[in-house]
Amino acid sequence: MDLQDARIISNRMLAPGYYRMELECGPPLTAAVPGQFVMVLIDGGGRGPFWRRPFSVAGLVCREGRVCGIELVYKVVGRGTAAMAAMAAGKLVSLLGPLGRGFDVSGDPDPLFLAAGGIGIAPMVFLARSLEERGHRGRRLFFLGGRGKADLLCLARLERLDLELHLATDDGSAGHAGPLTGPMAEAAAKGPPQLICACGPPGMLRAVARMAAEHCCPCQVAVETLMACGMGACQGCALPETGGSGFYLHACRDGPVFDASRIVIPG
Protein backbone atom coordinates (compact mmCIF):
# COMPACT_ATOMS: atom_id res chain seq x y z
CA MET A 1 0.00 0.00 0.00
CA ASP A 2 1.25 3.46 -0.87
CA LEU A 3 0.08 7.06 -1.16
CA GLN A 4 0.88 8.67 -4.49
CA ASP A 5 -0.06 11.64 -6.64
CA ALA A 6 -0.90 10.10 -10.00
CA ARG A 7 -1.02 12.10 -13.23
CA ILE A 8 -4.02 11.64 -15.52
CA ILE A 9 -2.98 10.21 -18.89
CA SER A 10 -6.50 10.21 -20.32
CA ASN A 11 -10.08 10.57 -19.08
CA ARG A 12 -12.59 9.54 -21.75
CA MET A 13 -16.33 8.90 -21.84
CA LEU A 14 -17.22 5.26 -22.52
CA ALA A 15 -20.97 5.86 -22.67
CA PRO A 16 -23.24 8.60 -21.28
CA GLY A 17 -22.39 8.84 -17.59
CA TYR A 18 -19.51 6.33 -17.70
CA TYR A 19 -15.79 7.13 -17.95
CA ARG A 20 -12.41 5.44 -18.19
CA MET A 21 -9.46 7.18 -16.52
CA GLU A 22 -5.84 6.16 -17.09
CA LEU A 23 -3.41 7.27 -14.38
CA GLU A 24 0.38 7.31 -14.45
CA CYS A 25 1.81 5.95 -11.20
CA GLY A 26 4.46 3.60 -9.85
CA PRO A 27 4.85 0.58 -7.58
CA PRO A 28 3.13 -0.82 -5.61
CA LEU A 29 0.03 0.56 -7.36
CA THR A 30 1.21 -0.94 -10.63
CA ALA A 31 1.30 -4.37 -8.94
CA ALA A 32 -2.47 -4.32 -8.25
CA VAL A 33 -4.35 -7.54 -8.96
CA PRO A 34 -7.97 -8.01 -10.14
CA GLY A 35 -10.39 -7.28 -7.31
CA GLN A 36 -8.18 -4.80 -5.48
CA PHE A 37 -9.12 -1.13 -5.25
CA VAL A 38 -7.72 2.33 -4.65
CA MET A 39 -9.00 5.21 -2.54
CA VAL A 40 -9.18 8.36 -4.67
CA LEU A 41 -9.02 11.98 -3.52
CA ILE A 42 -9.41 14.82 -6.01
CA ASP A 43 -9.25 18.59 -5.85
CA GLY A 44 -12.69 19.89 -4.93
CA GLY A 45 -12.40 22.81 -7.34
CA GLY A 46 -12.74 25.45 -4.64
CA ARG A 47 -15.82 23.83 -3.09
CA GLY A 48 -13.88 22.10 -0.34
CA PRO A 49 -12.13 18.72 -0.33
CA PHE A 50 -13.98 15.52 -1.11
CA TRP A 51 -13.58 12.42 0.99
CA ARG A 52 -11.56 9.63 -0.54
CA ARG A 53 -13.78 7.17 -2.37
CA PRO A 54 -13.05 3.58 -3.44
CA PHE A 55 -12.71 2.56 -7.08
CA SER A 56 -11.87 -0.91 -8.35
CA VAL A 57 -8.75 -1.15 -10.47
CA ALA A 58 -9.95 -1.93 -14.01
CA GLY A 59 -6.55 -2.75 -15.47
CA LEU A 60 -2.90 -1.85 -15.76
CA VAL A 61 -1.62 0.73 -18.23
CA CYS A 62 1.32 -0.41 -20.34
CA ARG A 63 3.51 1.78 -22.51
CA GLU A 64 6.58 0.63 -24.45
CA GLY A 65 6.48 -2.80 -22.85
CA ARG A 66 6.31 -1.67 -19.24
CA VAL A 67 3.53 -1.12 -16.72
CA CYS A 68 3.32 2.60 -16.00
CA GLY A 69 -0.05 3.08 -14.37
CA ILE A 70 -3.54 1.87 -13.59
CA GLU A 71 -6.97 2.29 -15.11
CA LEU A 72 -10.29 3.14 -13.44
CA VAL A 73 -13.77 2.75 -14.90
CA TYR A 74 -16.39 4.82 -13.06
CA LYS A 75 -19.94 6.12 -13.24
CA VAL A 76 -20.94 9.71 -12.50
CA VAL A 77 -23.31 9.49 -9.54
CA GLY A 78 -22.61 12.63 -7.52
CA ARG A 79 -20.51 15.74 -7.05
CA GLY A 80 -17.22 13.90 -6.64
CA THR A 81 -17.47 11.71 -9.72
CA ALA A 82 -18.82 14.66 -11.74
CA ALA A 83 -15.65 16.55 -10.80
CA MET A 84 -13.58 13.52 -11.81
CA ALA A 85 -15.26 13.41 -15.20
CA ALA A 86 -14.31 17.06 -15.81
CA MET A 87 -10.60 16.52 -15.08
CA ALA A 88 -8.26 16.81 -18.04
CA ALA A 89 -5.06 14.97 -18.89
CA GLY A 90 -2.10 16.22 -16.87
CA LYS A 91 -4.06 16.88 -13.68
CA LEU A 92 -3.05 15.10 -10.47
CA VAL A 93 -5.17 12.65 -8.48
CA SER A 94 -4.20 11.35 -5.03
CA LEU A 95 -4.30 7.55 -4.80
CA LEU A 96 -4.04 5.27 -1.78
CA GLY A 97 -3.55 1.61 -2.59
CA PRO A 98 -3.63 -1.02 -3.80
CA LEU A 99 -6.03 -2.15 -1.07
CA GLY A 100 -7.99 -5.27 -0.25
CA ARG A 101 -7.94 -8.89 -1.35
CA GLY A 102 -8.40 -9.81 -5.00
CA PHE A 103 -9.77 -12.84 -6.80
CA ASP A 104 -8.06 -16.19 -6.28
CA VAL A 105 -8.29 -18.19 -9.50
CA SER A 106 -5.67 -20.86 -9.00
CA GLY A 107 -5.27 -23.73 -11.42
CA ASP A 108 -7.45 -23.90 -14.51
CA PRO A 109 -11.12 -24.18 -13.50
CA ASP A 110 -13.08 -25.41 -16.52
CA PRO A 111 -15.55 -24.00 -17.21
CA LEU A 112 -15.01 -20.71 -15.39
CA PHE A 113 -17.95 -18.29 -15.23
CA LEU A 114 -17.23 -14.56 -14.98
CA ALA A 115 -20.20 -12.27 -14.33
CA ALA A 116 -20.36 -8.47 -14.34
CA GLY A 117 -23.30 -6.13 -13.89
CA GLY A 118 -23.10 -2.43 -14.73
CA ILE A 119 -20.06 -0.71 -13.24
CA GLY A 120 -19.06 -4.09 -11.78
CA ILE A 121 -17.33 -4.58 -15.13
CA ALA A 122 -14.21 -2.83 -13.74
CA PRO A 123 -12.58 -5.69 -11.78
CA MET A 124 -14.06 -8.35 -14.08
CA VAL A 125 -12.55 -7.09 -17.33
CA PHE A 126 -9.23 -6.84 -15.45
CA LEU A 127 -9.63 -10.44 -14.29
CA ALA A 128 -10.57 -11.71 -17.76
CA ARG A 129 -7.56 -10.06 -19.35
CA SER A 130 -5.21 -11.23 -16.59
CA LEU A 131 -6.36 -14.84 -16.98
CA GLU A 132 -5.68 -14.75 -20.70
CA GLU A 133 -2.24 -13.21 -20.21
CA ARG A 134 -1.51 -15.87 -17.58
CA GLY A 135 -2.41 -18.62 -20.02
CA HIS A 136 -5.48 -20.00 -18.23
CA ARG A 137 -6.34 -23.15 -20.18
CA GLY A 138 -9.96 -23.65 -19.15
CA ARG A 139 -13.06 -22.47 -21.00
CA ARG A 140 -14.07 -18.99 -19.91
CA LEU A 141 -17.66 -17.75 -20.18
CA PHE A 142 -18.26 -14.06 -19.53
CA PHE A 143 -21.76 -12.86 -18.65
CA LEU A 144 -22.28 -9.09 -18.93
CA GLY A 145 -25.52 -7.46 -17.81
CA GLY A 146 -26.98 -3.97 -17.58
CA ARG A 147 -30.21 -2.03 -17.60
CA GLY A 148 -29.84 -1.33 -21.31
CA LYS A 149 -27.35 -1.55 -24.16
CA ALA A 150 -25.66 1.70 -23.09
CA ASP A 151 -24.82 0.11 -19.71
CA LEU A 152 -22.83 -2.74 -21.28
CA LEU A 153 -19.32 -1.38 -20.86
CA CYS A 154 -15.95 -2.47 -22.29
CA LEU A 155 -17.58 -4.66 -24.98
CA ALA A 156 -14.85 -4.01 -27.55
CA ARG A 157 -12.19 -5.05 -25.07
CA LEU A 158 -14.04 -8.22 -24.11
CA GLU A 159 -14.59 -9.15 -27.75
CA ARG A 160 -10.83 -9.16 -28.29
CA LEU A 161 -10.35 -11.80 -25.58
CA ASP A 162 -10.61 -15.56 -26.02
CA LEU A 163 -13.85 -16.13 -24.15
CA GLU A 164 -17.54 -16.86 -24.72
CA LEU A 165 -19.42 -13.60 -24.27
CA HIS A 166 -23.08 -13.59 -23.21
CA LEU A 167 -25.05 -10.33 -22.92
CA ALA A 168 -28.20 -9.55 -20.96
CA THR A 169 -30.21 -6.35 -20.55
CA ASP A 170 -33.24 -5.59 -18.43
CA ASP A 171 -34.97 -3.81 -21.33
CA GLY A 172 -34.02 -6.39 -23.96
CA SER A 173 -32.04 -3.88 -26.07
CA ALA A 174 -29.08 -6.28 -26.32
CA GLY A 175 -28.71 -10.00 -25.75
CA HIS A 176 -30.99 -11.85 -23.35
CA ALA A 177 -34.01 -9.89 -22.12
CA GLY A 178 -33.74 -10.10 -18.35
CA PRO A 179 -31.06 -10.62 -15.69
CA LEU A 180 -27.76 -12.20 -16.64
CA THR A 181 -28.53 -15.16 -14.39
CA GLY A 182 -30.83 -16.34 -17.19
CA PRO A 183 -28.03 -17.16 -19.68
CA MET A 184 -25.84 -18.26 -16.76
CA ALA A 185 -28.43 -20.88 -15.75
CA GLU A 186 -28.71 -22.09 -19.36
CA ALA A 187 -24.94 -22.47 -19.63
CA ALA A 188 -24.71 -24.18 -16.22
CA ALA A 189 -27.34 -26.72 -17.33
CA LYS A 190 -25.02 -27.75 -20.17
CA GLY A 191 -21.94 -27.95 -17.96
CA PRO A 192 -21.79 -26.72 -14.34
CA PRO A 193 -18.98 -24.25 -13.67
CA GLN A 194 -16.02 -25.18 -11.50
CA LEU A 195 -15.79 -21.58 -10.27
CA ILE A 196 -17.87 -18.41 -10.53
CA CYS A 197 -16.38 -14.92 -10.06
CA ALA A 198 -18.72 -11.94 -10.05
CA CYS A 199 -19.07 -8.23 -9.39
CA GLY A 200 -22.20 -6.14 -9.69
CA PRO A 201 -25.22 -4.81 -7.82
CA PRO A 202 -26.31 -6.66 -4.66
CA GLY A 203 -29.39 -8.26 -6.22
CA MET A 204 -27.29 -9.74 -8.99
CA LEU A 205 -24.68 -11.03 -6.56
CA ARG A 206 -27.33 -12.70 -4.41
CA ALA A 207 -28.84 -14.41 -7.46
CA VAL A 208 -25.41 -15.57 -8.65
CA ALA A 209 -24.57 -16.88 -5.17
CA ARG A 210 -27.85 -18.84 -5.06
CA MET A 211 -27.11 -20.41 -8.43
CA ALA A 212 -23.60 -21.34 -7.30
CA ALA A 213 -25.02 -22.99 -4.18
CA GLU A 214 -27.51 -24.97 -6.29
CA HIS A 215 -24.63 -26.36 -8.36
CA CYS A 216 -22.32 -26.83 -5.34
CA CYS A 217 -19.88 -24.51 -7.07
CA PRO A 218 -17.36 -22.20 -5.37
CA CYS A 219 -18.28 -18.56 -5.89
CA GLN A 220 -16.24 -15.42 -5.30
CA VAL A 221 -17.97 -12.04 -5.26
CA ALA A 222 -16.42 -8.57 -5.28
CA VAL A 223 -18.60 -6.41 -3.05
CA GLU A 224 -18.85 -2.73 -3.91
CA THR A 225 -19.62 -0.54 -0.92
CA LEU A 226 -18.88 3.00 0.20
CA MET A 227 -16.09 3.50 2.72
CA ALA A 228 -14.21 6.51 4.02
CA CYS A 229 -10.77 5.10 4.82
CA GLY A 230 -10.18 1.77 3.05
CA MET A 231 -8.19 0.38 5.98
CA GLY A 232 -10.78 -0.72 8.54
CA ALA A 233 -10.77 2.35 10.77
CA CYS A 234 -14.10 3.90 9.80
CA GLN A 235 -16.13 0.65 10.12
CA GLY A 236 -18.29 1.85 7.24
CA CYS A 237 -17.99 -1.30 5.13
CA ALA A 238 -18.91 -3.93 7.73
CA LEU A 239 -20.70 -7.03 6.40
CA PRO A 240 -22.40 -9.67 8.58
CA GLU A 241 -20.91 -13.14 8.41
CA THR A 242 -23.37 -15.90 7.52
CA GLY A 243 -24.69 -18.27 10.16
CA GLY A 244 -25.92 -15.65 12.60
CA SER A 245 -22.63 -15.54 14.49
CA GLY A 246 -22.88 -11.79 15.03
CA PHE A 247 -19.37 -11.46 13.62
CA TYR A 248 -18.69 -8.80 11.00
CA LEU A 249 -16.19 -8.77 8.16
CA HIS A 250 -14.94 -5.63 6.46
CA ALA A 251 -14.90 -5.14 2.70
CA CYS A 252 -11.70 -3.12 2.83
CA ARG A 253 -9.59 -5.55 4.90
CA ASP A 254 -11.23 -8.96 4.46
CA GLY A 255 -12.47 -8.31 0.92
CA PRO A 256 -13.67 -6.77 -1.25
CA VAL A 257 -13.57 -10.25 -2.79
CA PHE A 258 -15.28 -12.83 -0.58
CA ASP A 259 -16.38 -16.42 -0.74
CA ALA A 260 -20.09 -15.78 -1.41
CA SER A 261 -21.12 -18.37 1.18
CA ARG A 262 -19.28 -16.48 3.92
CA ILE A 263 -21.10 -13.13 3.92
CA VAL A 264 -24.60 -11.69 3.92
CA ILE A 265 -24.56 -9.71 0.69
CA PRO A 266 -25.85 -6.19 1.41
CA GLY A 267 -28.83 -4.51 -0.20
Side-chain angles (χ1 to χ4, degrees):
M1 180 184 68
D2 194 21
L3 181 64
Q4 293 185 30
D5 284 334
R7 191 171 301 277
I8 297 175
I9 300 171
S10 65
N11 189 24
R12 299 188 179 96
M13 181 186 290
L14 292 175
Y18 296 98
Y19 289 79
R20 175 190 290 132
M21 179 182 284
E22 292 183 329
L23 293 157
E24 183 180 4
C25 54
L29 286 164
T30 49
V33 299
Q36 288 189 302
F37 67 98
V38 292
M39 296 295 291
V40 176
L41 179 66
I42 64 170
D43 184 347
R47 293 174 294 173
F50 296 108
W51 291 104
R52 289 188 183 273
R53 287 294 180 259
F55 293 89
S56 294
V57 179
L60 302 179
V61 178
C62 296
R63 296 288 188 273
E64 299 179 353
R66 71 178 186 88
V67 179
C68 64
I70 64 170
E71 176 184 324
L72 307 179
V73 172
Y74 64 98
K75 180 179 181 179
V76 175
V77 294
R79 193 159 60 105
T81 44
M84 281 179 66
M87 296 184 76
K91 295 291 186 180
L92 295 178
V93 174
S94 176
L95 301 180
L96 177 66
L99 299 166
R101 301 164 65 91
F103 289 98
D104 179 11
V105 184
S106 54
D108 293 302
D110 183 13
L112 168 64
F113 284 13
L114 307 175
I119 201 64
I121 185 63
M124 301 312 301
V125 70
F126 187 11
L127 178 59
R129 186 173 179 180
S130 297
L131 288 168
E132 184 159 310
E133 291 175 348
R134 190 191 81 186
H136 174 265
R137 292 172 293 185
R139 192 162 59 109
R140 296 183 296 279
L141 286 73
F142 198 106
F143 302 87
L144 177 60
R147 292 178 180 174
K149 187 176 180 179
D151 300 297
L152 301 178
L153 306 177
C154 302
L155 269 179
R157 182 171 297 188
L158 291 171
E159 289 169 348
R160 291 194 294 268
L161 299 177
D162 182 19
L163 48 77
E164 297 178 26
L165 183 58
H166 300 263
L167 306 180
T169 51
D170 294 342
D171 64 6
S173 56
H176 170 80
L180 58 73
T181 46
M184 286 184 74
E186 292 177 7
K190 298 175 183 177
Q194 289 192 350
L195 175 64
I196 299 176
C197 297
C199 183
M204 179 203 117
L205 294 185
R206 288 194 294 271
V208 169
R210 284 195 299 269
M211 191 181 75
E214 290 169 2
H215 290 279
C216 300
C217 169
C219 180
Q220 299 176 27
V221 294
V223 177
E224 296 185 316
T225 181
L226 286 176
M227 57 186 79
C229 71
M231 295 177 289
C234 71
Q235 306 293 308
C237 61
L239 301 169
E241 192 173 33
T242 53
S245 67
F247 184 69
Y248 282 78
L249 301 170
H250 293 84
C252 62
R253 288 185 319 207
D254 305 303
V257 178
F258 293 94
D259 180 329
S261 67
R262 194 181 176 198
I263 60 165
V264 177
I265 296 172

